[in-house]
């Protein structure tokens, strides 16, 4: 009996010893894993910082925007979402800052002469490159494309504008507000709202863009690009009150409202919940005063739009 108890006690001690040894090994292994994870995380953070700093430095250079953009595109997955967001904003700033220089180069007479013979509105730069063998123009166009520009014809001249579709490659890596901002700007760059002192989109599209801009402002009031979108929003409202010089809201001779605008107003107000949108509430109020005045530009209508539009205008 005593022997049995001694054996049981010995077995228990052996089990405890094995348990303690196993536990110590597990703790040691866990500690090793944690250290490895911390080390890997530190290396990742250090590399992200290196990429961010190099991309930032490249974007500050006067020339070499195309290389900076290429570097960003290749390495953006290696930085944090916050860093990626800042880099995309810096890239947009750099592309904007270089736009005047890019425009001056493209507007050179020889370039415009060649482009006018081959470019059609909506053509990609890559398509245009396939239509010319002029070495100088090809070099310029390649640099413009790789720097984030596209072509757009305005009043018979061909200009570079920012190609926001080229920014969509960064959307998986940036904060939600900038992802949404890129979509707004891509739509605008694909089909600009105005040009040649005229509306280039329908009245319905003006309303749709105004609603999208309003939604952005509501969802991202503290976004770095909120103020810019507010300017776009105010532009959409102004178009609804005034139109543009070459696309007036009211006929210059009869002072009658454009029938297409009336249809767009009615369709939008019937389609959407007006109570949820300040933009639609403004549109409804504007539509009502117009209807009371038989859709004519009367003194009452003129007074209303001057007090309602974001800024007074001589348009329409």
């Amino acid at each position: 009996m005593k022997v049995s108890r001694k054996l049981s006690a010995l077995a228990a001690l052996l089990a405890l010893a094995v348990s303690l040894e196993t536990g110590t090994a597990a703790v040691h292994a866990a500690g090793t894993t944690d250290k490895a994870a911390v080390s890997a995380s530190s290396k990742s953070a250090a590399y992200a910082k290196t990429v961010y700093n190099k991309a930032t430095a490249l974007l500050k250079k006067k020339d070499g925007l195309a290389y900076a953009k290429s570097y960003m595109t290749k390495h953006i997955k290696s930085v944090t979402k916050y860093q990626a967001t800042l880099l995309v904003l810096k890239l947009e700033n750099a592309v904007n800052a270089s736009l005047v220089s890019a425009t001056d180069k493209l507007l050179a007479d020889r370039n415009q002469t060649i482009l006018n013979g081959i470019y059609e509105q909506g053509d990609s730069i890559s398509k245009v490159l396939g239509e010319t063998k002029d070495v100088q123009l090809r070099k310029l166009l390649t640099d413009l494309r790789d720097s984030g520009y596209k072509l757009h014809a305005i009043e018979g001249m061909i200009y570079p504008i920012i190609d926001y579709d080229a920014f969509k490659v960064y959307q998986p890596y940036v904060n939600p507000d900038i992802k949404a901002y890129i979509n707004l700007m891509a739509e605008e760059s694909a089909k600009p709202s105005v040009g040649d002192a005229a509306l280039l989109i329908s009245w319905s599209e003006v309303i749709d863009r105004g609603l999208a801009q309003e939604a952005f402002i509501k969802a991202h009031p503290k976004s770095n690009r909120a103020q810019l979108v507010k300017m776009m929003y105010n532009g959409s409202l102004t178009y609804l009150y005034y139109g543009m010089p070459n696309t007036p809201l009211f006929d210059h001779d009869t002072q009658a409202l454009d029938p297409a605008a009336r249809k767009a107003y009615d369709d939008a107000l019937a389609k959407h919940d007006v109570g949820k949108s300040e933009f639609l509430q403004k549109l409804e109020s504007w539509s009502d005063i117009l209807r009371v005045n038989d859709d004519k530009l009367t003194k009452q209508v003129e007074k209303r739009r001057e007090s309602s539009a974001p800024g007074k205008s001589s348009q329409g």
Side-chain angles (χ1 to χ4, degrees), residues 166-179:
F167 280 69
K168 288 186 175 181
V169 68
Y170 307 122
Q171 285 183 307
Y173 309 104
V174 300
N175 289 337
D177 63 317
I178 302 307
K179 182 177 180 179

Side-chain angles (χ1 to χ4, degrees), residues 15-316:
L16 178 60
V18 170
S19 175
L20 288 173
E21 185 178 353
T22 303
T24 301
V27 170
H28 179 71
T32 302
T33 302
D34 288 345
K35 287 180 181 179
V38 169
S39 177
S41 177
S42 297
K43 288 180 179 179
S44 177
Y47 184 65
K49 185 176 181 180
T50 298
V51 169
Y52 175 80
N53 289 340
K54 181 175 180 178
T56 298
L58 289 172
L59 289 169
K60 288 180 179 178
K61 291 186 176 181
K62 185 177 180 180
D63 297 315
L65 181 55
Y67 176 70
K69 184 174 180 297
S70 174
Y71 179 83
M72 267 186 59
T73 303
K74 182 177 180 180
H75 295 286
I76 195 146
K77 61 180 176 292
S78 299
V79 301
T80 66
K81 182 163 286 192
Y82 175 72
Q83 290 171 327
T85 299
L86 289 180
L87 285 178
V88 169
L89 294 177
K90 288 173 184 285
L91 174 61
E92 184 191 29
N93 290 341
V95 176
N96 265 314
S98 298
L99 187 56
V100 172
S101 175
T103 300
D104 288 343
K105 292 174 183 177
L106 197 65
L107 288 182
D109 289 343
R110 69 180 306 280
N111 292 332
Q112 290 293 308
T113 298
I114 298 171
L115 287 171
N116 277 316
I118 58 178
Y119 175 76
E120 293 183 5
Q121 192 75 290
D123 283 353
S124 67
I125 289 181
S126 294
K127 184 176 186 301
V128 176
L129 283 169
E131 300 292 328
T132 180
K133 294 181 179 180
D134 186 89
V135 176
Q136 183 178 325
L137 180 58
R138 286 182 60 83
K139 184 176 183 301
L140 174 59
L141 289 175
T142 299
D143 186 64
L144 289 177
R145 179 196 62 192
D146 296 345
S147 296
Y149 299 104
K150 62 191 293 186
L151 303 179
H152 185 71
I154 306 173
E155 297 181 351
M157 304 294 285
I158 299 162
Y159 294 83
I161 63 172
I162 299 178
D163 181 10
Y164 281 93
D165 276 334
F167 280 69
K168 288 186 175 181
V169 68
Y170 307 122
Q171 285 183 307
Y173 309 104
V174 300
N175 289 337
D177 63 317
I178 302 307
K179 182 177 180 179
Y181 171 74
I182 290 171
N183 284 335
L184 284 179
M185 300 306 288
E187 183 176 16
E188 181 64 27
S189 71
K191 192 175 181 182
S193 299
V194 297
D196 294 351
L199 275 176
L200 302 179
I201 59 177
S202 69
W203 298 109
S204 293
E205 288 174 300
V206 170
I207 295 170
D208 288 342
R209 292 191 186 186
L211 289 172
Q213 292 150 6
E214 179 184 46
F216 178 93
I217 296 165
K218 284 183 177 179
H220 312 290
K222 295 183 179 180
S223 172
N224 186 278
R225 291 300 189 254
Q227 283 301 120
L228 191 149
V229 176
K230 284 180 182 177
M231 291 174 60
M232 296 169 65
Y233 171 81
N234 287 337
S236 295
L237 275 176
T238 301
Y239 302 149
L240 292 180
Y241 288 113
Y242 287 96
M244 286 289 288
N246 290 335
T247 314
L249 184 61
F250 298 96
D251 184 271
H252 289 305
D253 297 324
T254 66
Q255 302 300 300
L257 177 71
D258 183 344
R262 164 50 66 195
K263 185 177 188 309
Y265 294 174
D266 291 345
D267 288 348
L269 294 172
K271 178 181 178 182
H272 299 284
D273 184 348
V274 176
K276 294 183 178 181
S277 166
E278 183 181 350
F279 182 85
L280 289 175
Q281 290 168 23
K282 288 178 179 291
L283 177 61
E284 184 177 55
S285 178
W286 177 232
S287 175
D288 288 347
I289 195 70
L290 286 170
R291 202 178 294 281
V292 167
N293 286 269
D294 298 322
D295 282 350
K296 293 289 184 67
L297 181 58
T298 64
K299 289 183 178 180
Q300 184 183 26
V301 168
E302 181 62 49
K303 185 177 180 180
R304 171 61 69 85
R305 75 172 177 177
E306 285 185 357
S307 65
S308 300
K312 289 185 180 182
S313 171
S314 60
Q315 298 167 356

